[in-house]
Every structure is written in structure tokens, then in C-alpha cells.
Amino acid sequence: MSTDNPSTQRTGAEQHEVGLSVRDLSKSFGGVRAVVGASVDFHHGRINALIGPNGSGKTTFFNCVTGMIRADAGTVTYRGKDITGKAPHRVAHAGIGRSFQVCRIFPRMSVLDNVLAGVRPSGLVALMGSGRRASDVDKARALLARVGIDHLEGAEAGDISYGQQKLLELAGVLMTDPETIMLDEPAGGVNPALIERISTLITELNAEGRTFIVVEHNMELVMRLSDHVIVFDRGAQIAAGPPSTVQSDPAVLEAYLGV
Ligand SMILES: Nc1ncnc2c1ncn2[C@@H]1O[C@H](COP(=O)(O)OP(=O)(O)OP(=O)(O)O)[C@@H](O)[C@H]1O
Ligand SMILES: [Mg+2]
């Protein structure tokens, strides 16, 4: 299926390979069926958007894939390697980084130390233990400059704006050099100027070879940014394809509008 958006089409054999592949994933919380037999393939090189109404299971899907919670059933493979049920640091080691819907920062720590804590998922412990490595500090500073908040490196993370915290979280994710980056609502609660910066960063990082899986409710952003859109409803994929096709898919309109 040739679904890539021509304006963001990349060359190279890798772009057509499946990177992350999820099969029959299910997760219930008591009687709530959050993810229900979801099967999704994510191709390398793309900016994939994962959209769906509130409560359709997108964050739970992310949490199961990245080892934050254990799925009831299903398999997750990455580059052909089984990562089902692996702990978050193992998933990160396999090459997958992620951000959270509600920023996970350490509010009383400096911006720079927050990025350093992204070196490993157990980064806080590492930070408090043997101290910082000079090469990590250089890298953290470079990433803060890249996301445009290097002037805030000494500020307490809890004192910077929410959009800046999202950029900080992205810098932390980049510390481990993930080839696939999963972002849960990167533009949620962020002012328009910083949404533009986040959007540009995603485009640039993608052009450098990183694959994205982005959960986002801002449809204008989704349609502009993504090559491929996966639509969730009630815990499973109901549609997938290029933005232009998905936008007018009757099943998608029904899920969103109830028409
Ligand atoms: N820890 C939990 N305990 C109980 N129910 C949960 C838990 N996490 C999620 N749920 C429920 O699972 C369903 C899916 O939630 P989830 O957060 O995955 O949806 P979402 O698609 O990310 O929604 P949103 O777009 O609002 O972020 C919802 O009904 C939610 O209330
Ligand atoms: Mg969510």
C-alpha cells in the first residue's frame, strides 16, 4: 500500500519495513475494556498518527507497548524481536522512546537535570548516585538547545510553561537516541507558537531517520504532520491510511461524531 504523503516521502529501503508490530493486544481494567484485540503495524520512517475519541484506548495501548503496564493478551514485536511484557528500560534499550500525556518531569529539579534523568529510565537513581558524566551533560545541553530551551537550563522544571515542559520531555526522550519515538499528545495544552516548534522538531527528527507514533487530538496538526493515520475506537483499530483518506472514512466520522 503506497500511503505515504508525497510531501514527506523519504527514500531508502527502510521506510517500508515494519518496525513496531502489535498483534491482538488486549487490556481491561476491571470491567472496562480499554484495548480490545488491537493489531497495528507501524512502518519505519513514517510519522504515524494514532487518533481516536477520548477513552478509545490510545494511552493504554502506549502503556502496554512500552512496558508501563502488562497487557492481558497479545504480542508486541520490534524489528522482529519479541518485546511483549518487557520492562520499560528493556523497551527503551530496543530503540523505542516515549513521552507522556501528562508531562512526567521532576518539578523541583533543574531543567538540565531533568534531561540528564532521561539517560536511562532509572535515570533519577543514576543521577543521584555516581554523578553526571561530562559527555551526558554536553549532550543534554545540545538537546536543550535543539528544542529551544537552553536558556532555561538552570530553572526549576516546575516553573517553566507547560509547552516548555513538553519540549523538555522531548529532549529527555532524545537522550537515549531512540529510533522510534512515541509521543502521547505532544500538543495538548500547548500554546500555538510552541505547537509550531514541536511540529517542526518532529518533521526534522523524522527527516533524520526517526520514526514517530503520535497520539494527538489536534486534527489540523495530525493532517499536516503525519504520513499515516491509525484510528482507534473502543480499544481497536477501525481505520488506517493516509490522512486524506482517513478524514473522510465513514467509520471514522461515526466514531467521532456518532453519525
Ligand atoms: N488505570 C486505569 N484504571 C481504570 N480504568 C482505566 C485506567 N486507565 C485507563 N482506563 C480506562 O480505559 C479506557 C481507555 O483509556 P485511555 O486513557 O487508554 O484512553 P485514551 O484513548 O488515551 O483517551 P484520551 O484521548 O482521553 O487520552 C477509558 O475508559 C479509561 O477510563
Ligand atoms: Mg490518552
Side-chain angles (χ1 to χ4, degrees):
M1 182 167 54
S2 178
T3 55
D4 284 354
N5 180 340
S7 66
T8 53
Q9 193 130 28
R10 280 157 296 276
T11 55
E14 277 228 325
Q15 67 169 320
H16 297 299
E17 287 174 17
V18 174
L20 182 67
S21 179
V22 179
R23 284 284 160 280
D24 305 317
L25 193 78
S26 292
K27 177 69 187 177
S28 294
F29 299 100
V32 179
R33 299 172 80 206
V35 177
V36 187
S39 294
V40 192
D41 287 328
F42 298 95
H43 293 251
H44 272 307
R46 280 181 176 163
I47 299 176
N48 302 277
L50 176 57
I51 67 169
N54 292 116
S56 56
K58 305 177 300 293
T59 296
T60 305
F61 179 85
F62 264 35
N63 286 340
C64 291
V65 167
T66 56
M68 305 300 297
I69 58 175
R70 188 173 283 273
D72 300 328
T75 55
V76 182
T77 57
Y78 186 65
R79 286 189 166 280
K81 192 178 153 207
D82 188 357
I83 57 165
T84 312
K86 298 282 187 229
H89 70 276
R90 302 274 299 277
V91 176
H93 190 70
I96 300 174
R98 76 165 289 185
S99 74
F100 292 88
Q101 185 167 347
V102 178
C103 279
R104 290 201 178 181
I105 55 156
F106 303 108
R108 298 274 71 89
M109 272 168 49
S110 75
V111 164
L112 181 63
D113 281 344
N114 266 272
V115 183
L116 286 163
V119 180
R120 296 170 205 93
S122 58
L124 187 60
V125 177
L127 201 65
M128 290 172 151
S130 53
R132 314 149 147 200
R133 285 207 315 238
S135 57
D136 284 343
V137 174
D138 289 347
K139 186 173 182 180
R141 289 210 163 103
L143 288 171
L144 283 174
R146 171 136 209 203
V147 304
I149 55 167
D150 46 330
H151 58 295
L152 297 169
E153 75 161 58
E156 282 193 4
D159 289 342
I160 65 176
S161 77
Y162 193 68
Q164 289 166 335
Q165 289 177 3
K166 290 269 185 188
L167 289 163
L168 168 58
E169 214 188 5
L170 181 59
V173 169
L174 290 170
M175 277 303 275
T176 58
D177 270 327
E179 63 172 0
T180 293
I181 300 177
M182 301 174 72
L183 302 176
D184 198 349
E185 300 199 22
V190 177
N191 73 54
L194 289 191
I195 289 177
E196 271 323 294
R197 191 185 302 169
I198 290 167
S199 163
T200 303
L201 278 164
I202 292 172
T203 306
E204 288 174 0
L205 289 162
N206 174 246
E208 292 165 17
R210 296 187 208 268
T211 302
F212 278 85
I213 303 171
V214 182
V215 167
E216 187 49 61
H217 284 292
N218 180 333
M219 282 307 127
E220 185 276 324
L221 181 62
V222 165
M223 295 302 155
R224 179 157 52 91
L225 197 61
S226 56
D227 305 303
H228 188 76
V229 181
I230 293 122
V231 187
F232 259 37
D233 188 34
R234 291 175 214 156
Q237 177 180 307
I238 57 161
S244 52
T245 309
V246 161
Q247 216 168 4
S248 52
D249 187 313
V252 177
L253 296 175
E254 186 184 336
Y256 272 97
L257 305 172
V259 293

